[in-house]
Amino acid sequence: MTHPYRKGMKTKRTMAAATLLLTMVSGTAMAQPMVVPDDNTRQLREEFRNRKFGIFIHWGIYSMMADGEWVMYNKRINRDEYAQLAGGFCPSWFSAREWAQIFKDAGAQYVTFTTRHHDGFSMWDTKASDYNVAEATPYGKDILKSLSAACAEHGLKLHLYYSHMDWYRTDYPTGSTSSDLPHDESTANWMSYYTFMNQQLTELLTNYGPIGAIWFDGMWDHAEGTGFDWRLDEQYALIKKLQPKCLIGNNHHGSPIDVEDIQLFEQDLPGDNTAGFSGKQQVSNQVPLETCMTMNNSWGYNITDTNYKSGDEVIRRLVQAAGRNANFLLNVGPRPDGQLPPQAVKVLEHVGKFMDTHSRSIYNTRGGIVPPQDWGVTTQDGKTLYLHVLNKEKDGQVVNEGLHRINGGPLSFFVPLKGHSLSNPTILNTDEKLTIQAENGGYRIFLPKRPNSVDLVIKARLD
Ligand code: GLC
């Protein structure tokens, strides 16, 4: 992936910008206290946490270029030329119901759909612009309508991704990345653009049933501007007015501000910063966390990117996210014809098989009292502690560096735990009882044999 923003996040320039951004959006310094949520909001956030696993869909006319969702920028495509793609967009194999079934079978509980990405193309029948799927394409139908119906039918919550940044509209005041595109700055008109966004958000929150969350992205385009005010307060208030049950998340790569309900992490588990986006993020203990991740290296469909994570690897990330008290939002980038890439479907099926037998150690849990260990992570549901012994396969052998044989005895692992007692460990799916022994500062649990799966889940009682 080659957008400068990605590369730039690690540079000093953008780090400074990120700080500035936070200062800007909150109006004051970073340590701004969060708005204390009322009981209803608290309840909604807990319900979101309970769902644990969602599917992110990056789909737009960029899929036709088969080179990711940043293709317009990466190739510096002229807006009028790019817009011609719409005339060929006709996803003949698209079936929202099929998608929903696949996601449901994978064990997902919600879907986050890119209603309008940075390229500015709307994937619903918006009245705010004719640059949309219903009017500008031969397909001529409202994709979001069918998706919302299919999600409702399959009991999946619908969340909506919405880009703040726009590479297409002439009234959008260009920022750090958008200014690299051929634009005429003289037509910029913030109020017109802001009104447009709010009109679109009003449609999204009026015509598509209950929306679980709005997922914003792209406001970092103005990170380096001085005094640029996105007027989030008003926009957030509009969302809460239209659908009081709709949560708000914003992928601004900073700690959550004001009324934001979810802290978003891109390509990293909370606390990690391998992708370079989370350097400014302090993991919140107030709002739910969500990690979004690609299956290969691309969000939007990329025909040459076959670098898919294995099904086991995806399970590992999902479980690690749960162990860090975070939801996991796994991305798929559908093809322009409306099909999900078969590699992605294979991974989803693999995750689904795991969820069929293990989901009770994930859904409705919170990160366990025992923090992540070298042998794995824990999740917790009241007095039940789930110990996820996370294993890897190496040269045909299952390995786990956190498992040890003490004096040639059976394999075991140590659970650090003070002020609580742990008892009755059993293997989740067989109820096989395991030996447990108190040890200085915690407990040692013994395994009858080397685990042979990615996640050996042990259920134990915590008092
Ligand atoms: C980034 C990218 C965007 C992608 C998003 C998903 O912010 O700009 O293309 O949609 O991450 O997290």
Side-chain angles (χ1 to χ4, degrees), residues 423-427 432-436 445 458-461:
S423 58
N424 290 334
T426 56
I427 293 181
E432 188 180 345
K433 288 198 170 62
L434 302 180
T435 307
I436 184 165
I445 295 178
I458 294 159
K459 186 179 160 185
R461 169 151 181 120

Side-chain angles (χ1 to χ4, degrees), residues 162-182:
Y162 189 82
S163 173
H164 270 127
M165 164 167 80
D166 192 303
W167 295 326
Y168 175 78
R169 287 183 65 90
T170 50
D171 56 359
Y172 176 73
T174 53
S176 59
T177 50
S178 49
S179 61
D180 290 342
L181 287 161

Side-chain angles (χ1 to χ4, degrees), residues 257-277:
I257 44 169
D258 298 336
V259 296
E260 286 169 9
D261 299 289
I262 312 172
Q263 182 174 18
L264 308 176
F265 297 84
E266 183 175 338
Q267 298 286 33
D268 264 307
L269 297 170
D272 291 348
N273 186 26
T274 61
F277 299 129

Side-chain angles (χ1 to χ4, degrees), residues 85-316:
L85 282 175
F89 189 68
C90 198
S92 47
W93 300 116
F94 172 60
S95 160
R97 290 175 108 174
E98 253 171 56
W99 285 12
Q101 189 64 55
I102 292 171
F103 302 152
K104 187 80 188 170
D105 290 348
Q109 311 233 52
Y110 61 101
V111 167
T112 307
F113 180 65
T114 48
T115 56
R116 172 172 148 281
H117 207 271
H118 309 329
D119 69 352
F121 188 79
S122 298
M123 294 294 276
W124 79 97
D125 188 6
T126 176
K127 300 290 170 260
S129 152
D130 55 13
Y131 194 44
N132 74 67
V133 70
E135 280 173 88
T137 75
Y139 184 68
K141 282 177 274 186
D142 186 332
I143 298 265
L144 186 61
K145 236 317 91 65
S146 19
L147 196 62
S148 76
C151 284
E153 194 182 314
H154 288 79
L156 294 160
K157 275 260 170 207
L158 183 62
H159 294 194
L160 304 179
Y161 170 108
Y162 189 82
S163 173
H164 270 127
M165 164 167 80
D166 192 303
W167 295 326
Y168 175 78
R169 287 183 65 90
T170 50
D171 56 359
Y172 176 73
T174 53
S176 59
T177 50
S178 49
S179 61
D180 290 342
L181 287 161
H183 262 308
D184 176 5
E185 199 40 49
S186 67
T187 56
N189 181 338
W190 162 248
M191 261 336 274
S192 142
Y193 181 67
Y194 186 65
T195 308
F196 158 77
M197 282 198 292
N198 291 341
Q199 188 183 340
Q200 285 211 313
L201 287 164
T202 303
E203 291 176 354
L204 292 173
L205 290 158
T206 309
N207 303 331
Y208 298 90
I211 301 303
I214 296 286
W215 205 106
F216 285 113
D217 186 28
M219 58 183 273
W220 28 259
D221 193 42
H222 277 279
E224 293 180 62
T226 42
F228 192 91
D229 183 1
W230 282 99
R231 299 179 64 161
L232 292 183
D233 288 359
E234 239 175 284
Q235 198 164 61
Y236 288 179
L238 172 72
I239 293 170
K240 297 285 180 186
K241 190 184 101 201
L242 291 165
Q243 288 206 22
K245 292 188 166 180
C246 179
L247 302 179
I248 298 172
N250 192 330
N251 189 32
H252 49 52
H253 299 151
S255 303
I257 44 169
D258 298 336
V259 296
E260 286 169 9
D261 299 289
I262 312 172
Q263 182 174 18
L264 308 176
F265 297 84
E266 183 175 338
Q267 298 286 33
D268 264 307
L269 297 170
D272 291 348
N273 186 26
T274 61
F277 299 129
S278 304
K280 291 282 167 193
Q281 282 178 296
Q282 275 173 16
V283 180
S284 166
N285 55 12
Q286 294 182 50
V287 299
L289 316 175
E290 183 190 68
T291 280
C292 62
M293 211 171 264
T294 50
M295 257 194 233
N296 50 4
N297 294 326
S298 316
W299 298 104
Y301 178 58
N302 183 327
I303 202 165
T304 55
D305 181 359
T306 53
N307 193 15
Y308 276 81
K309 295 176 183 69
S310 70
D312 275 355
E313 188 56 33
V314 170
I315 292 171
R316 202 170 291 119

